[in-house]
Amino acid sequence: MTRRVQDATIELGIREERVAPGDHIAYFWDTPADFLRGIAFLELGLRGSDHGVIFGHEAANAEVLDVLRQHGLDPDDLAAEGRLSVLGSAVTGDAMLSNIGEVFQRAVTRGAPLIRLLGNIGWGRPGWPGEQDILAFEAKVTGAARAFPCVVVCMYDVQALPGRVMVHGAYETHPLTICGNVLRENPYYVGVDDFLGRISASETKK
């Protein structure tokens, strides 16, 4: 297996895998046990000294917070300590990216050694940006993450999502994937500029 993991690596928590700072990973799950393993990525950091970020639609965020509580972590205390941020409800993909960047910058300023963002978006929910906007957002996250000491894991429910979202939103916008609990370099990844060009071209054709 060829991977981009170099000298400075981070324990992923999902399994005994390590990744490089700045990595953006698509995590595919289709059972409740797989879902919990994804959240273990965030838990590992919160039980240490990392800053945790939960990003998604309100209902998706609540689901992750409930699991943290069930596992003995207090999200309210962690937020009060400045170690956990819960993001959502932005109107556009670019606004969401700006909010994430601000949270990352504050975490770095406070001295967080690493930021772990768990994305559990909830595609197609009311009040969220349209599909094209979210796809562009996912591509831009890959570029933005490289500016911070962070790892971004985006969770995809393979049973619930349309095929086009799996192809374009997951495979084409994430340099790494975890499928069947195996971490791999993604051969289907499309660079940020190329992907945004495709998005723009598809909007022009409408």
Side-chain angles (χ1 to χ4, degrees), residues 58-174:
E58 184 177 340
N61 287 347
E63 195 172 11
V64 175
L65 291 170
D66 283 345
V67 171
L68 294 179
R69 290 187 186 98
Q70 291 165 19
H71 292 185
L73 292 166
D74 188 326
D76 294 330
D77 284 352
L78 289 165
E81 293 168 10
R83 296 199 47 238
L84 177 65
S85 303
V86 182
L87 300 176
S89 73
V91 178
T92 67
D94 283 343
M96 290 189 287
L97 193 66
S98 177
N99 290 346
I100 289 170
E102 289 172 7
V103 167
F104 278 23
Q105 190 58 60
R106 284 198 299 271
V108 169
T109 300
R110 291 174 67 103
L114 179 70
I115 304 159
R116 293 173 183 255
L117 185 149
L118 183 70
N120 184 33
I121 291 174
W123 288 81
R125 298 290 182 90
W128 274 76
E131 186 174 298
Q132 298 281 66
D133 201 0
I134 288 285
L135 291 173
F137 161 81
E138 282 281 35
K140 291 175 183 177
V141 167
T142 296
R146 294 181 180 134
F148 292 96
C150 69
V151 176
V152 178
V153 172
C154 296
M155 300 179 73
Y156 287 88
D157 181 351
V158 298
Q159 302 291 337
L161 290 177
R164 66 184 182 280
V165 171
M166 293 296 287
V167 171
H168 303 300
Y171 282 110
E172 292 185 350
T173 59
H174 294 74

Side-chain angles (χ1 to χ4, degrees), residues 14 46 126 152:
I14 292 169
L46 293 174
V152 178

